[in-house]
Every structure is written in C-alpha cells, then in structure tokens.
Amino acid sequence: MKHLSIDIETYSSVDIKKSGLYKYVQSDDFQVLLFAYSVDGGEVQIIDLINGEEIPFNIKIAMLSPDVVKHAFNAAFEWYCLSKYLNVPNPELWLSQWRCTMVHGLYCGYPGSLSAVGQALGMSEDKKKMSVGKRLIDIFCKPCKPTKTNGMRTRTLPVHEPEKWALFKDYCRQDVVTEMEAEKMLSFWQAPDYVQKQWELDMKINAYGTAIDMELVNGALYCSESDTDKLMNRAREITGLDNPKSDTQLKEWAVKRLDAEIPSLDKKNLALLLQKELPGDVREMLNIRKELGKTSVTKYKAMENAVCGDGRVRGLLQFYGANRTGRWAGRLVQVQNLPRNYLENLSAARNIVKKKNPEGLGLLFGSVSDTLSQLIRTAFIPSKGNKFVVADFSAIEARVIAWLAGEEWRQEVFRTHGKIYEASASAMFGVPIEKIKKGNPEYALRAKGKVAELALGYQGSAGALVQMGALDMGLSEEELPDIVRRWRAANKNIVGLWYAAENAAVECMRTAKQTGINKGILFTREADIIHGLDFLTVTLPSGRKLFYARPYLAPNAWGNESLHYAGMDQTTKKWCELETYGGKLVENIVQAIARDCLAEAMDRLQKNGFRIVMHIHDEVVIDCPEESVDLERACKIMCEPVEWAEGLQLNAAGFIGDYYMKD
C-alpha cells in the first residue's frame, strides 16, 4: 500500500463557518460519522462509524505509517479531525504524510472547492446531487431545531432518517472518487516539494494559533452596544423614525428635509453630502449614520466566535488563498484586512475599553466606533510571559519590480536611503531629492511621487491614480495624465517589462515555443492530451509556476491580440473566461515573487527557533519568550540574500510589543 485517499463526514454543535475547524473539532460533542477510503486508487470503501462499524486494522496501521501517503481534498480538515479520532501523539509530525488535493488544484490555478474544481476540470457533475449533498450535511452534521414533529430532538441520527443516511454514505463515497479523479488529472503538474513544506509550516502556524485579549474583546462589544443604543436613541429624537438605521426610511426623511434628491446614503455619497451646507439636525443625523455604518464590532464578534477554550484563535490563514499568485488569504477574523491604528496612546484606550467605559472612551478619544476600530489589531496578544516581535518587509513589491525590470536608479535607492516616494518625485520632476523634505515647498511633490508609486507600477493610468486616492490628496484630474507620463518616463525599464511580458505570452501562444524574459522567467505552453488540459505557465525565479488554464489569443478592446484564459473572477467568484495584459501579468509575477520571499523568510525564521503565530501581507508576527526577544536578529534573517534572487535588495524593520498594532 502506497496511497490512501480519504474523505470523512463529522458532527459538531459548533458552527465551522463562524468558528473555524479547530474550535469545531475541540467541541465536546465532535464525532467522526463516516470514513470513506480508497487504497492505491481502488474501489472506494466506506465505514459507518456512528453505527458501530470500525476502520479495518490494516487501514489504521496505514493511516499512521510514514510509508503511506494520505490524500484528501482540504486535507487540513481530515488531518486535524483524524488526529483527534486516532489519538495521534504528535499531529505536527504526521503532517508530512498528507497531501492536499485542494492545494494541488489551487497551485494549478483552479478554484478552492471540490465541486468547482470538478466543474472547471470538465468532470461530469450532477448539480442536483451536489445540492442534495449539502442538504444531507445540514441534516446529519449539524444540530437541528427541536420541534413537536421531530420529538423535540436537537440532533438527527441515521435511525431517524435511514433512507437519507444511505444517500449520505453514497455522497461521502463519491467525494473520494472525485478527489482521486482531480488528483489524477493534475498529476502531470505537481507542486514543488518546498511548496508542500510551506503548506506544512502553514498548518503548524494555524494549529498553534494566536492568543486573544478576551477582556478587550468583551469590553469592545459592550462599548459598541452601549454607543449604538445611545446613537439610535438620539437618531430617533432627531428624525422621529422607528428605524433610523434603515437606508430607505432615512433617505426619505433627508429628501424631505433638504427638498432635494439624494442618490444613496452609501459611504461615498454620505461623504459628499457632509461637505455641503446642511441644516444642523441633518448634519448631526448624517454623522450619526456614518458612525452607525462602521463595522468595527464585526471583527470582535468574529474573535468571540472563533476563540478556543484556551483563549487562542486558530485557522486565521488560508494557504494559497489568493488564486494564481499563491499568496495567503485571511479567514475568520480576516487578519489580511485589519483597520489601521493612528491613536497616540493605544494602551490608555485599551484600558478604558477593558473597564467597559464607553462614556470615558468618547470623552477622551472622540468617536467610540472609530476608536474601537483602531483597537482591533491590539486584541491579538502574545502568550503569557511572551512579547510580540513583528518584522515587516519594507516596500517589497517596489523592490521586486525594480530588481525584475533592472531599473537601476530604483535599485540604488533601495541599496541606500530607501526613500522611494521622494526619489520617485525627484526623478519625475527633476528636483534634487534633498529639497523634498518637510518645510520646503518641494515637499508637496512627495504626495505625487507616493500616489504614482502606489498606482502606476502595473500599467495603471489616471483611473488608477483616482482609485488610489489622488483626488482626496488634493490633486486635480487635469494633472493626473502628466503624473502618469512623468512616472513612465522615469521608469522606462518597468514600462518595457510590461510589454516584454505581454509579448512573451502572445509569442508563446502563437508558436508554442518557450519564451523567456528578465531574471529567467519562462512562458511555456503545457498540455496533457489524455486529460484534455492545456495551460500557459510562467516559471518564476524560485521554480514555482503560475498557471493560466485553457489559454487562447483573441482581440482586446483595442483590436490587439491578447491572452485570454479560464479563471476565477475575483468579483463574481465564478469560473469564467478572463482577459489579461502586460501590466497584469507583471503584477501576478511580482506579487508571486514577493510571496516566495515571505515563504523563504518564514522557513528561515522557524528553523532558527522563532514561533510564527500569524503573518499579514509582508509582515511576520512572532510569539517570543521575553528573555529571548531579538528583533534585530529576526529582521536580519528576513533580509538574508535569497539564492534564486541574486541582487534583490531586501529590507525589514519592526517592533516589539505587548499586542499587535500597525507601527
């Protein structure tokens, strides 16, 4: 026996979507119901555990044997559930025996659900059968509402619905068949061994989790509820409305009060309205609406839902969560999307919140909801007796694109002072960088350099500047095209990189010949005729590949040939036909390389004894015993040269703290 393909069905009263895998499994009533397996691709067998059947002894031995590879779709689930069921003494050591078919699919550019992968790969799919499967999960894997009809029971067992239970067993068995077929179809394109190791490290980080300051969370929820009640009461006094949070009711009131049409009360229109001359009661009400519209409390509720019995939140990160580039995505509390903090005295604000004193919070810090929003990061705290060491790559994407394009003046900036916004403004406007400093009139150019750097690196134009907040910074629409022109003139090698990437993709598609660009990046047409799969791949300097499925050439909006492919639309989250261009290809490549740098740094940190508890974008959060805190060493490890990226200028900085924040 060399391979076991596995799928299980489980029960827990904990809502896995709200609370995550780890709290779900740690529930006292967690139970494995069904165990389906296939040995070396053979016929799928199913063990009805809840009805007293037992996993065969040879399969139990194989489950724990390092010589047998275990396959599952979203293997994190099977690994953690079965480590509890089988009482595995050291689950972390067991990880290396598992292979995740979901990660394999994500590596090849496919979606993250088994049914979506099957559909994208062209497997036969019965949508009715899939919807029945989801319904069966709702019936047998979750608590049910007690009613007179069901005898006031809180759970449905096989004995209550024997016919549906038989269907459920077929559903579980079919999942193993689908997983094996997906693995077989993708077998020609295996992820490199180091990606497997990165997944294992990710699993260890997620399983260890990070501590949560529940005193702060509880205080924040109390203060938010109290402040909301106060604002709602005042809103009712002003408007006379039953529900002033209702957009429809409030809009009708405001239209009558102003005797003018209002398109909507969304964030953008609300900001525009508040810039106008308004009656005092309308202005007060719109400011209340603005406060009520803030979602600061949502993440505190997510922490409350997900925190485990030991005060830690687990499963915050999704490996390969960003389709194609392989970057991590946030889960549960969504740590990749945390509000920034600007308060000078976070500790004082935290103490007031812990005392459940919303009045004092408002008196000292103004807006209660805004203050609570700024404190969200600080709810993540180190283990008892430890400190957080937070180390962040500095301007990683800007450094990578400069290295990749061979933009030497930018490389020199990163080798020396690192002030890319000032240097960019200097290059764009021909002003000595020494003059672009606070107190000088030339300092105003820094804002133009900053917004240009943030918006234009991936072939963005005036629209990208607007999206990045150029108009909010005081720039006029009329000067935006000039900023674009000046930035591109100062960064000719980056501009050249856009067209090199686009031309390489088109040339590779036309000729089916491997086409290379800077730093050994290779565009290759790859196909598996037997399974009908076709990709354009981009080999990165690390050796990892980016995949564009079912590629073809077609005219773009300007009538030029461009690359089209099948992929996940980031807005609709549907598998569909997409179009790309040079700047977007470069963005994928740069972000993927930056991701590989982070993965390399995390590997080095953990090998040097640093315990990583989470990471946000290009920032690593380390839980470190007070006696061995060493920020300088952590940053030095992150900046060590990367073997496959000779000449890439990396820099990292950070802070030591009693809680997480944006330094």
Side-chain angles (χ1 to χ4, degrees), residues 211-223 300 303 341 343-358 360-362 364-365 368 370-382 386-388 655 657-662:
I212 293 291
D213 190 336
M214 286 306 296
E215 190 181 1
L216 178 71
V217 170
N218 292 330
L221 291 171
Y222 176 87
C223 290
Y300 289 114
M303 292 176 192
N341 51 266
L343 293 175
E344 287 187 13
N345 198 336
L346 287 169
S347 295
R350 280 168 50 80
N351 288 333
I352 293 171
V353 171
K354 287 183 180 185
K355 290 175 182 175
K356 298 184 177 179
N357 183 0
L361 196 66
L364 290 176
F365 295 96
V368 171
D370 182 61
T371 305
L372 292 178
S373 182
Q374 292 193 53
L375 291 179
I376 288 170
R377 289 173 184 260
T378 74
F380 295 104
I381 56 173
N386 286 13
K387 295 275 189 182
F388 271 161
F655 65 93
D658 294 317
Y659 46 76
Y660 179 58
M661 63 180 181
K662 192 65 180 176

Side-chain angles (χ1 to χ4, degrees), residues 97-140:
Q97 300 175 29
W98 287 84
R99 297 295 180 272
C100 182
T101 308
M102 182 180 78
V103 169
H104 193 172
L106 290 168
Y107 177 73
C108 293
Y110 286 104
S113 79
L114 184 56
S115 59
V117 169
Q119 187 179 3
L121 287 170
M123 295 183 202
S124 59
E125 181 190 31
D126 187 335
K127 289 187 177 179
K128 185 178 178 182
K129 193 177 288 185
M130 289 304 303
S131 64
V132 169
K134 289 177 182 177
R135 175 66 184 135
L136 291 170
I137 288 172
D138 288 339
I139 292 171
F140 294 112

Side-chain angles (χ1 to χ4, degrees), residues 274 556 578 602:
L274 286 167
N556 59 21
L578 301 172
M602 289 198 298

Side-chain angles (χ1 to χ4, degrees), residues 407 409 427 483-493 495:
E407 201 69 78
W409 72 266
I483 291 175
V484 174
R485 182 186 61 78
R486 287 176 180 273
W487 190 89
R488 292 185 177 183
N491 293 277
K492 290 178 180 176
N493 287 345
V495 173

